[in-house]
């Protein structure tokens, strides 16, 4: 009974069916019928004309977006525990040709406007210091917190005032929308976001993420950067088809709600004292002695140790609710 | 009736079935059961212990391989019409951090040992000139010629003598093997090749290529470079499964034979006078007046104009043989 | 008696004196009294408001200029024998983060508008091919030819029409001005040039070159790039002082005239049949059998063999005219 | 009376005289008589065969050294206030093609072995996290503290155990040697240091720093990297001559002692309560109310405000001791 990572889950049936539908000859690269629908589909979702590109991984989508916002001699402000800093093998440095990540603190991997503003204020405006060029947040965060629209807007306000491009790592954007109930527009462009990687792989996709530019003009060079980074697939229709299938009937939202519900059930079982952070998406960080974790593993539950006396559970769109109930019961019995 | 590009064809049924089989929870990234079989499967095929990594595109596979062979301050010798020079948007420059492509001539995009040797001899051994560090050929070439084992070995000899890493862009390696009937080992490591991108996408795959290091030690940093370039997919099993399905029962070879046979039938119809190059894979470059090309298009055949009075036909693993016969007949009637 | 290279000559007395004058405490980096005069001094010389920065080497000046004109995913069109291609160790690839040099032919390392235009026309406007972004010429060329104002203007016309930034490697710009007698403005901004590295080191300087932006707006990021490349010297006043000393009273032009005159004397001695190219600056490429070259060396003359039966002589601002006459006589006697 | 920065001081007479001596024709680049003596001169100084290269700036010397130790996908551990992080405009990211600086805390910009070891221990050994490849310290530090030989050795021990290359930014190495009285060998290679930028510009030089490789094998590619970065000057003899002049008779040490003595006199005047850090080189960070600083400025002393109620004084090799005494008196009178 696996609670390791949403990265390891299966692709959902609608995605598999879309691959079958797309499995016919069509124009190569992104000239096919599916790829050409992406801009429209996301423009409908966000209520605004956007430019949307597929990419096979979240790292690629994030870093292509960041490269569009930050020059090689600039800095990207992000949380010290952000995925782009901690788990992307230096990919932002690669895609931006050496831009710097300026690391900021914040509870649960969440940034506050004050922290961002102070970081900008500390930089002397001369040629010796790397000037901030972009702000990047993750929503939902790496620790399962969801930004509310007004929180994003406050960051967007600072970004605008400081002249920063604003990027969102939306690997679990669906979970944030599912939790907050917010309009996707209010969590993005209405709050000042310029570009977002919109995650599908952790949420029932196979290998397709979307990179959304809320100002299409900012995407001008990105198709070229994507090709140059080896991310323009010759049969791109299979990626576009996955994404369109997940947008259809808001499947992305339904999948995220399922994952969040499983996490919420576990959170209730754990109770507030055990939770390191509030559970606002599909991840739980739970205080648990090594002996307790051992008991759960003995019962057949798989999950990661995260820190001394702390474990992580992640739930997926297809998490077996029977397993979830068993785990909830087991946690309550500790 | 499309003769545009093998890039646009469908994925073959065995690949689609493999995706279904891989569609269950498993370890993320490349720790899954399928990915872990790749080294063994390719070691069996090549009769030697190799290191094999999947990547979604040929550009990524080529450029990760080149980055392993050439430092930022080195040069890669290749044909002036090589795909890495002409059609990869400068990706070699990106992955190698600015290494130079030194362009060499040769009929049909094929390099000769003399040309390579002379290019090396022209470089002064000082700090002012970029020193050659790698040799790259494409087999089958961009113009449909297949290198024979002794031709590759002669290049390998020069590479060894000049201290060059030796890379093969094997986007259509299957077609070269199918045409020459050579042992894959004789076209690669026995001939001195260090690394090859082994193409599957043009040959019935969906979005998985293999990057093969014949000396596993040279691959030491490559998994890290792959991650840093955003090419480590979190559900890598779907890529590995495609590749394993195509290795199973030598499906890769059967598919390439089918594509080659279609091209051979068209070549026979065109006759030697019309052929710009001998047809040794699945591509034909055919002398044809604009009016003649127009007649074929009027009959429903789609293909690219390549140069004044020259067109290109590419056949695929699943080319409808009825269409091929119709096209052959139409060409004969011109 | 050395005719190896103008790179090896001494610094002229006015430059040495300027260093002494600048040898007092002043503001660090480029905030000093000398550096602040550069913009004005070059604006006067060119009859237009320009932005001028010092750099210690021609390679740095060239590549900072190119980086301002060409993105990492673009191409720079230049002659196949251009210094930036042949003798800068791949520095353009380093400073531009991997941009491509597209190499063009032309007699005496000189480019023609037709060649440039055709090279642009050959590039498909899609994401697969690297798009031309800049044009670079060397004036005087690496083989001692000087572009005339109308020749530069014709190239500037193409650059403008094709949307290319226009860079001049002016390592020997002084020699070109001295030979043609042209107004510096007519060889640069009036002919469409955007940026030029203006060489002083080969012409009597010690270690200071100037990078001139004819449109100051294009220089916006360059002070930052210069610092990032380690080229912002903390005691920059010594570089600025050298340059100002050479601008004073047109010393740069007097020095170049002296070097050109020495070369002209040798050219007359060699006669048209021996000259590979017309001598329009301070370099001669002379047809000469190995035995003949040996005779000259036996008389105490030092110079480079350049090709089979071809040697190169370079004259300097301080070339001893007695030595020149001796060499002229010796050449006549061959 | 300037106490802004040692960067702004004049060059010392012996350096000026060396330039005059070097002002004659000689071999270009680094083939001249002066450059060829560098290896020997530094090998004598350090009691070990070393490889020494000149570079015009400390940023270039530091970053060429770091590029030799750290691959693009690696991390360099350094203090969060290190010059390479704070004041080099992202140059380490440029020269290393995107390597990461991992920032560590420590009083007075000094690192402890424990901090370095813990930083290494925090990194998971997988492809998702950037692996530490090098350690960089500054001696004397940016806040004027000098590492003792045993402190460097303890860091060298960790570096060796963790497989890190060990770099020293020695912009003020002379001041550290002057303060500690240590053997240069004990502060470098005997303590495990691999490469050091040895500063001369802040200590009486004009524009020449030395980059020292204690293991010459590690310098193999560096002459090439230097050229590629535009740092190979064509008249390199003027840089080598400056350095040789400062090594002659240990002028470098005498100059540093003079600067340190001036700082020590000021430190005594300020007294321990005002000093933010002990004064172990030529910099003082002094607690001082804005009004007090204003009084000093009214008396004609120039210096930087560093933080609220904190100012910085820097002394130079040629600081006028009369001015120093006046300043000391003025500080005492506050």
């Amino acid at each position: 009974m696996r609670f390791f990572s949403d990265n390891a889950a299966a692709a959902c049936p609608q995605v598999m069916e879309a691959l079958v539908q797309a499995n016919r000859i069509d124009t190569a690269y992104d000239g096919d019928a599916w790829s050409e629908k992406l801009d429209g589909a996301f423009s409908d979702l966000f209520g605004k004309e956007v430019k949307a590109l597929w990419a096979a991984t979240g790292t690629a989508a994030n870093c292509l977006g960041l490269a569009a916002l930050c020059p090689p001699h600039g800095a990207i402000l992000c949380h010290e525990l952000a995925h782009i800093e901690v788990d992307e093998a230096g990919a932002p440095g690669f895609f931006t040709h050496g831009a710097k990540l300026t690391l900021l603190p914040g509870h649960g991997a969440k940034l506050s406007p004050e922290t961002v503003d102070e970081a900008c204020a500390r930089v002397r405006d001369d040629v010796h210091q790397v000037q901030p060029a972009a702000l990047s947040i993750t929503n939902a965060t790496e620790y399962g917190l969801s930004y509310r629209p007004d929180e994003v807007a406050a960051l967007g306000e600072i970004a605008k005032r400081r002249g920063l491009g604003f990027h969102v790592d939306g690997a679990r954007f669906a979970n944030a929308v599912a939790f907050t109930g917010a309009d996707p527009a209010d969590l993005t462009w209405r709050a000042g976001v310029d570009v977002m990687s919109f995650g599908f792989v952790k949420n029932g996709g196979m290998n397709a993420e979307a990179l959304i530019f809320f100002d299409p003009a900012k995407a001008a060079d990105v198709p070229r950067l994507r090709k140059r980074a080896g991310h323009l697939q010759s049969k791109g229709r299979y990626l576009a088809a996955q994404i369109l299938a997940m947008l259809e009937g808001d499947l992305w939202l339904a999948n995220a709600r399922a994952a969040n519900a499983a996490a919420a059930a576990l959170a209730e079982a754990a109770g507030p004292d055990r939770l390191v952070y509030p559970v606002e998406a599909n991840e739980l960080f739970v205080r648990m002695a090594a002996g307790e974790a051992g008991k759960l593993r003995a019962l057949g539950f798989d999950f990661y140790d995260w820190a001394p006396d702390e474990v992580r559970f992640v739930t997926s769109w297809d998490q077996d609710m029977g397993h979830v109930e068993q785990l909830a019961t087991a946690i309550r019995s500790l």
Side-chain angles (χ1 to χ4, degrees), chain A:
Chain A
M1 292 172 287
R2 294 196 169 202
F3 292 84
F4 278 131
S5 172
D6 40 7
N7 259 342
C12 64
Q14 298 90 331
V15 162
M16 296 303 288
E17 175 56 24
L19 294 178
V20 173
Q21 294 305 320
N23 195 36
R24 57 172 184 77
I25 200 170
D26 202 307
T27 306
Y29 301 107
D30 59 355
D32 61 275
W34 290 267
S35 297
E36 297 205 327
K37 281 183 198 152
L38 279 192
D39 286 353
F42 281 103
S43 296
D44 289 349
L45 176 61
F46 285 103
K48 180 187 193 312
E49 192 200 339
V50 305
K51 174 76 190 163
L53 298 99
W54 42 252
T57 67
T59 295
N62 280 331
C63 294
L64 289 168
L66 291 170
L69 298 183
C70 183
H73 55 274
I76 298 159
L77 306 182
C78 68
H79 194 278
E80 61 195 355
L81 297 174
H83 197 265
I84 58 171
E85 159 65 12
V86 174
D87 279 306
E88 297 193 352
F94 181 56
F95 280 78
T96 62
H97 303 292
K100 176 172 157 178
L101 299 186
T102 296
L103 306 181
L104 308 179
H107 187 66
K110 217 168 169 177
L111 290 182
S112 74
E114 293 73 28
T115 312
V116 173
D117 205 36
E118 282 159 22
C120 291
R122 271 196 302 273
V123 179
R124 292 192 320 266
D125 180 16
D126 65 24
V127 302
H128 301 268
Q129 299 211 317
V130 179
Q131 304 297 307
L135 168 66
S136 175
I137 65 170
T138 307
N139 194 15
T141 76
E142 289 77 4
Y143 287 87
L145 300 186
S146 288
Y147 285 89
R148 273 62 169 183
D150 62 327
E151 293 176 318
V152 183
L155 289 162
E157 191 67 28
I158 298 290
K160 193 177 173 187
R161 181 148 47 81
R162 292 290 189 174
L164 309 176
F166 191 179
H167 164 264
V168 174
D169 176 345
R172 294 191 183 93
F173 181 67
N175 302 283
V177 174
F179 175 77
T180 59
D183 184 330
D186 289 334
L187 285 172
T188 56
W189 64 271
R190 279 200 204 112
V193 172
D194 293 302
V195 54
M196 180 170 76
S197 64
F198 192 141
F200 291 97
V201 175
K202 292 179 194 290
N203 193 30
M206 178 184 283
N207 49 22
E209 310 279 72
L211 177 58
I212 312 293
F213 284 85
F214 297 103
D215 174 359
K218 292 201 168 127
D221 283 340
V222 179
R224 204 169 290 286
L225 301 183
R226 179 174 64 173
K227 172 66 193 174
R228 193 172 186 242
H231 282 287
L232 180 65
Q233 298 202 1
S234 58
K235 299 181 177 176
R237 61 191 179 276
Y238 298 103
L239 276 68
Q242 291 178 52
I243 294 170
L244 293 172
M246 292 196 65
L247 293 182
E248 178 76 27
D250 284 340
L251 175 61
W252 63 282
L253 202 46
N255 279 0
R257 281 176 182 143
N260 284 6
L266 296 177
E268 201 189 329
D273 288 354
R274 282 194 183 268
L275 294 177
V276 183
Y277 308 106
V279 174
E280 305 182 349
N282 65 327
E283 296 188 291
L284 295 92
F285 296 83
V286 181
R287 293 185 186 93
M288 191 172 285
E292 296 176 318
K295 279 184 201 163
L296 295 183
R297 289 193 174 106
L299 293 168
F301 300 103
D302 290 323
F303 51 90
Y304 283 117
D305 290 323
W306 201 254
D309 291 329
E310 184 182 334
V311 302
R312 186 186 82 164
F313 300 99
V314 183
T315 55
S316 298
W317 69 275
D318 63 346
Q319 203 77 42
D320 183 299
M321 283 307 284
H323 295 171
V324 171
E325 280 162 34
Q326 289 177 52
L327 177 55
T329 304
I331 291 174
R332 280 201 186 87
S333 329
L334 289 175

